[in-house]
CSV table of all heavy atoms in Angstrom, one decimal:
chain,number,residue,atom,x,y,z
A,69,LYS,N,-96.5,-32.6,-63.1
A,69,LYS,CA,-97.5,-33.2,-64.1
A,69,LYS,C,-98.9,-32.6,-63.8
A,69,LYS,O,-99.1,-32.1,-62.7
A,69,LYS,CB,-97.6,-34.7,-64.1
A,69,LYS,CG,-96.3,-35.4,-64.3
A,69,LYS,CD,-96.4,-36.9,-64.2
A,69,LYS,CE,-95.1,-37.6,-64.5
A,69,LYS,NZ,-94.7,-37.5,-66.0
A,70,GLU,N,-99.8,-32.7,-64.8
A,70,GLU,CA,-101.2,-32.2,-64.7
A,70,GLU,C,-101.9,-33.2,-63.9
A,70,GLU,O,-101.6,-34.4,-63.7
A,70,GLU,CB,-101.8,-32.2,-66.1
A,70,GLU,CG,-101.1,-31.1,-67.0
A,70,GLU,CD,-101.2,-29.7,-66.5
A,70,GLU,OE1,-102.2,-29.4,-65.9
A,70,GLU,OE2,-100.3,-28.9,-66.6
A,71,GLY,N,-103.1,-32.6,-63.4
A,71,GLY,CA,-104.1,-33.5,-62.6
A,71,GLY,C,-103.7,-33.7,-61.1
A,71,GLY,O,-102.7,-33.1,-60.6
A,72,THR,N,-104.4,-34.5,-60.5
A,72,THR,CA,-104.2,-34.8,-59.0
A,72,THR,C,-104.7,-36.2,-58.8
A,72,THR,O,-105.3,-36.8,-59.6
A,72,THR,CB,-105.1,-33.8,-58.2
A,72,THR,OG1,-104.7,-34.0,-56.8
A,72,THR,CG2,-106.6,-34.1,-58.3
A,73,THR,N,-104.3,-36.7,-57.6
A,73,THR,CA,-104.6,-38.1,-57.3
A,73,THR,C,-106.0,-38.0,-56.7
A,73,THR,O,-106.1,-37.4,-55.6
A,73,THR,CB,-103.6,-38.7,-56.4
A,73,THR,OG1,-102.2,-38.6,-57.0
A,73,THR,CG2,-103.9,-40.1,-56.0
A,74,VAL,N,-107.0,-38.8,-57.2
A,74,VAL,CA,-108.2,-39.0,-56.7
A,74,VAL,C,-108.2,-39.8,-55.4
A,74,VAL,O,-107.3,-40.6,-55.2
A,74,VAL,CB,-109.2,-39.5,-57.7
A,74,VAL,CG1,-109.3,-38.6,-58.9
A,74,VAL,CG2,-108.9,-40.9,-58.0
A,75,THR,N,-109.2,-39.5,-54.5
A,75,THR,CA,-109.3,-40.4,-53.3
A,75,THR,C,-110.8,-41.0,-53.3
A,75,THR,O,-111.6,-40.5,-54.0
A,75,THR,CB,-109.1,-39.6,-52.0
A,75,THR,OG1,-110.2,-38.5,-52.0
A,75,THR,CG2,-107.8,-38.9,-52.0
A,76,PHE,N,-110.9,-42.0,-52.5
A,76,PHE,CA,-112.2,-42.7,-52.5
A,76,PHE,C,-112.8,-42.8,-51.1
A,76,PHE,O,-112.0,-42.9,-50.1
A,76,PHE,CB,-112.0,-44.2,-53.0
A,76,PHE,CG,-111.5,-44.2,-54.4
A,76,PHE,CD1,-110.1,-44.5,-54.7
A,76,PHE,CD2,-112.2,-44.0,-55.5
A,76,PHE,CE1,-109.5,-44.5,-55.9
A,76,PHE,CE2,-111.8,-44.1,-56.8
A,76,PHE,CZ,-110.4,-44.3,-57.0
A,77,SER,N,-114.1,-42.8,-51.0
A,77,SER,CA,-114.7,-42.9,-49.7
A,77,SER,C,-114.6,-44.2,-49.0
A,77,SER,O,-114.3,-45.2,-49.7
A,77,SER,CB,-116.2,-42.6,-49.8
A,77,SER,OG,-116.9,-43.6,-50.6
A,78,SER,N,-114.9,-44.3,-47.8
A,78,SER,CA,-114.9,-45.5,-47.1
A,78,SER,C,-115.9,-46.5,-47.6
A,78,SER,O,-115.7,-47.7,-47.7
A,78,SER,CB,-115.0,-45.3,-45.6
A,78,SER,OG,-116.2,-44.7,-45.3
A,79,ASP,N,-117.1,-46.0,-48.0
A,79,ASP,CA,-118.1,-46.8,-48.5
A,79,ASP,C,-117.7,-47.5,-49.8
A,79,ASP,O,-117.9,-48.7,-50.1
A,79,ASP,CB,-119.4,-46.0,-48.8
A,79,ASP,CG,-120.1,-45.7,-47.5
A,79,ASP,OD1,-119.9,-46.3,-46.5
A,79,ASP,OD2,-121.0,-44.8,-47.5
A,80,GLU,N,-117.0,-46.7,-50.7
A,80,GLU,CA,-116.6,-47.2,-51.9
A,80,GLU,C,-115.5,-48.4,-51.7
A,80,GLU,O,-115.5,-49.4,-52.4
A,80,GLU,CB,-115.9,-46.1,-52.8
A,80,GLU,CG,-116.9,-45.1,-53.3
A,80,GLU,CD,-116.3,-44.0,-54.0
A,80,GLU,OE1,-115.4,-43.3,-53.4
A,80,GLU,OE2,-116.6,-43.7,-55.3
A,81,THR,N,-114.6,-48.0,-50.8
A,81,THR,CA,-113.5,-49.0,-50.4
A,81,THR,C,-114.0,-50.2,-49.8
A,81,THR,O,-113.6,-51.4,-50.2
A,81,THR,CB,-112.6,-48.3,-49.5
A,81,THR,OG1,-112.1,-47.0,-50.1
A,81,THR,CG2,-111.3,-49.2,-49.3
A,82,LEU,N,-115.0,-50.1,-48.9
A,82,LEU,CA,-115.5,-51.3,-48.2
A,82,LEU,C,-116.2,-52.3,-49.2
A,82,LEU,O,-116.2,-53.4,-49.1
A,82,LEU,CB,-116.5,-50.8,-47.1
A,82,LEU,CG,-115.7,-50.1,-45.9
A,82,LEU,CD1,-116.8,-49.7,-45.0
A,82,LEU,CD2,-114.8,-51.1,-45.2
A,83,ASP,N,-116.9,-51.5,-50.2
A,83,ASP,CA,-117.6,-52.4,-51.3
A,83,ASP,C,-116.6,-53.2,-52.0
A,83,ASP,O,-117.0,-54.3,-52.5
A,83,ASP,CB,-118.4,-51.4,-52.1
A,83,ASP,CG,-119.2,-52.1,-53.1
A,83,ASP,OD1,-120.1,-53.0,-52.6
A,83,ASP,OD2,-119.1,-51.9,-54.3
A,84,VAL,N,-115.4,-52.7,-52.3
A,84,VAL,CA,-114.5,-53.4,-53.1
A,84,VAL,C,-113.7,-54.5,-52.3
A,84,VAL,O,-113.5,-55.6,-52.7
A,84,VAL,CB,-113.5,-52.4,-53.8
A,84,VAL,CG1,-112.3,-53.2,-54.4
A,84,VAL,CG2,-114.2,-51.6,-54.8
A,85,TRP,N,-113.2,-54.1,-51.1
A,85,TRP,CA,-112.4,-55.0,-50.3
A,85,TRP,C,-113.1,-55.9,-49.4
A,85,TRP,O,-112.7,-56.9,-49.0
A,85,TRP,CB,-111.3,-54.1,-49.5
A,85,TRP,CG,-110.3,-53.6,-50.4
A,85,TRP,CD1,-110.2,-52.4,-51.0
A,85,TRP,CD2,-109.1,-54.3,-50.7
A,85,TRP,NE1,-109.1,-52.3,-51.7
A,85,TRP,CE2,-108.3,-53.4,-51.6
A,85,TRP,CE3,-108.5,-55.5,-50.4
A,85,TRP,CZ2,-107.1,-53.8,-52.2
A,85,TRP,CZ3,-107.3,-55.9,-51.0
A,85,TRP,CH2,-106.6,-55.0,-51.8
Side-chain angles (χ1 to χ4, degrees):
K69 297 181 180 294
E70 296 296 323
T72 189
T73 302
V74 298
T75 60
F76 302 100
S77 69
S78 58
D79 287 342
E80 291 172 305
T81 305
L82 293 171
D83 186 57
V84 169
W85 285 91

